[in-house]
Amino acid sequence: MPNSPDDTLLHEVALTLFSGVGPQLTRQLMSYGGSARNVLHLPPGKLLKIPGVGPATVKVLTGPERTAALQQAEESVRKAEKEGVQLLFYTSKQFPARLKQIPDAPALLYYQGTADLNQPKTLALVGTRQATDYGREQTERLIKGIASHHPLIVSGLAYGIDIAAHRAALQEGLETVGVMATGLDVIYPHAHRKTAEKMLSQGGLLTEFPFGTPPDKYNFPARNRIIAGLSDGTVVVEAARKGGALITADLALDYNREVLAVPGPLGSAASEGCHDFIKTSRAALYAEPADIEQALNWDLALHLQGKPTALATYDADDFTAEEFQMITVLLAAPGREEHLDNLAWKAQLPVHTVASLLLGLEFRALVKALPGKRFGLI
């Protein structure tokens, strides 16, 4: 296939379409091949030397499936260009930084919309499909209460709490992203098409599944990990004892993200899951917007009482998501100082990325370098 301006993207998309080659193996192949194009041109002998690659994977990557994957990738790239869809490989600068921090992140995202997926503040709202009037009311009140922070609202476009969250965000002028368990061209449920279309100009739609993918039941748990990984925190508004909302909350906990739950009326089956999460300390209780601000460190003013004065002239929106993450880690550190390696571990970012972020904050006179690879807030 001849080189073209989209040649790199073409091979990246193709690499995600092979059966048995998941996101983790894709990263492994990329780390050895250097690029998707190189991977798809490696001879069998070299492929077998890559850890995790066996004869079955070699057969898939070098056999007839290779041609089919490249053809499907070419169709996807053309369709994406025609419909204004961004194809975000995990090495892209536009790929959500928060997702890069989770171990099972997708290798490729299909995204259509206007929202910046790396906004400083993101919040997931999830809940039961059988939402009650109470649940919908609490969803609307919560979003109205945090609207002044201009967060990106993330949910799953499903019936119940999900669609209530999207619609409340649109009503408040907030951007909202729906994470789908289908291809971007398959809106599910179909009843939410009009809301989904509004979101394209005030947020967006996001999926890891290729065009044409139907709503297979196995896709929904995979979708939930993106909701959890894309957000600083997850709020469970209403949930029974079992359901996708609690799966999303558990995933958020696994990713060291904050989880809050809205208590419901005593005896309400629709809130039993929320009550259980609160009782077992897996979720903090949400009672008012300040609970979210404190849990997610959204309001820097809450941290600046008796803290470094250099930050007093800044607002959270003045920082990228990763810069804000560095500041909040340092604010929570003893003496507001921390070793470089500990900062990288706490932020779940590569050391070289943390070093670059710290250098940028140092240029802004917010961070100072200390002996022994330690850094502190000024």
Side-chain angles (χ1 to χ4, degrees):
M1 191 168 293
N3 287 327
S4 70
D6 297 316
D7 188 64
T8 297
L9 181 60
L10 176 68
H11 286 83
E12 289 172 346
V13 174
L15 189 56
T16 68
L17 297 174
F18 288 92
S19 58
V21 180
Q24 292 180 330
L25 183 53
T26 296
R27 289 176 174 78
Q28 181 81 335
L29 291 166
M30 288 286 292
S31 68
Y32 279 82
S35 71
R37 181 179 177 82
N38 288 347
V39 169
L40 295 179
H41 286 82
L42 286 175
K46 289 191 175 181
L47 283 171
L48 282 171
K49 293 181 180 179
I50 300 175
V53 175
T57 303
V58 171
K59 184 178 180 180
V60 165
L61 291 173
T62 59
E65 192 171 334
R66 177 181 180 278
T67 300
L70 285 167
Q71 289 176 344
Q72 185 180 347
E74 185 172 9
E75 293 173 3
S76 294
V77 171
R78 287 178 176 174
K79 186 177 179 68
E81 289 177 348
K82 180 181 178 181
E83 300 187 6
V85 172
Q86 297 180 56
L87 303 176
L88 305 177
F89 199 56
Y90 77 95
T91 55
S92 166
K93 290 183 179 180
Q94 286 73 42
F95 193 93
R98 293 173 179 86
L99 269 187
K100 289 183 181 180
Q101 299 171 20
I102 70 173
D104 53 351
L108 179 71
L109 292 171
Y110 297 74
Y111 176 56
Q112 187 175 18
T114 58
D116 178 3
L117 298 177
N118 287 304
Q119 286 191 32
K121 302 174 184 179
T122 62
L123 182 70
L125 269 72
V126 296
T128 177
R129 284 174 168 79
Q130 287 78 43
T132 67
D133 289 342
Y134 171 83
R136 286 186 286 270
E137 178 186 351
Q138 293 303 320
T139 300
E140 293 168 2
R141 291 180 61 185
L142 186 157
I143 289 178
K144 187 173 184 178
I146 61 172
S148 62
H149 288 278
H150 305 289
L152 177 66
I153 301 299
V154 180
S155 198
L157 206 66
Y159 286 113
I161 296 301
D162 285 22
I163 197 65
H166 291 309
R167 288 170 176 165
L170 292 172
Q171 181 66 31
E172 293 298 325
L174 301 178
E175 292 184 313
T176 180
V177 167
V179 183
M180 302 166 61
T182 62
L184 281 182
D185 53 345
V186 183
I187 302 298
Y188 179 83
H190 184 76
H192 296 163
R193 174 171 291 278
K194 286 187 178 180
T195 300
E197 289 173 350
K198 290 180 181 178
M199 291 165 62
L200 292 177
S201 59
Q202 193 178 319
L205 300 175
L206 181 72
T207 185
E208 67 177 314
F209 298 105
F211 293 113
T213 302
D216 187 284
K217 65 179 181 179
Y218 299 107
N219 295 349
F220 289 89
R223 181 275 307 272
N224 292 343
R225 87 188 193 286
I226 297 179
I227 295 175
L230 192 63
S231 309
D232 296 319
T234 295
V235 180
V236 185
V237 179
E238 237 182 358
R241 288 197 177 273
K242 292 183 179 180
L246 298 184
I247 293 173
T248 305
D250 276 325
L251 287 166
L253 291 172
D254 289 341
Y255 302 150
N256 295 314
R257 307 292 168 84
E258 296 292 335
V259 175
L260 298 93
V262 178
L266 295 178
S268 171
S271 292
E272 286 182 351
C274 293
H275 293 160
D276 186 57
F277 260 61
I278 294 169
K279 284 193 297 185
T280 55
S281 300
R282 285 179 289 168
L285 184 147
Y286 169 85
E288 58 182 352
D291 296 329
I292 292 175
E293 295 171 345
Q294 293 172 6
L296 302 184
N297 295 323
W298 274 3
D299 195 342
L300 278 180
L302 296 175
H303 300 279
L304 294 179
Q305 297 174 6
K307 300 287 178 70
T309 56
L311 286 170
T313 59
Y314 288 89
D315 183 77
D317 293 332
D318 295 324
F319 304 102
T320 67
E322 290 180 337
E323 287 174 337
F324 189 75
Q325 194 173 11
M326 282 295 97
I327 291 171
T328 54
V329 170
L330 283 168
L331 282 167
R336 300 190 291 277
E337 298 177 1
E338 191 61 89
H339 190 278
L340 175 63
D341 293 341
N342 289 338
L343 282 170
W345 180 78
K346 289 180 178 180
Q348 291 293 292
L349 293 171
V351 172
H352 67 85
T353 299
V354 171
S356 176
L357 290 168
L358 291 169
L359 182 61
L361 293 171
E362 192 174 352
F363 284 151
R364 294 165 73 175
L366 294 172
V367 166
K368 57 185 175 183
L370 302 168
K373 292 186 177 180
R374 295 182 65 84
F375 293 84
L377 288 172
I378 295 176

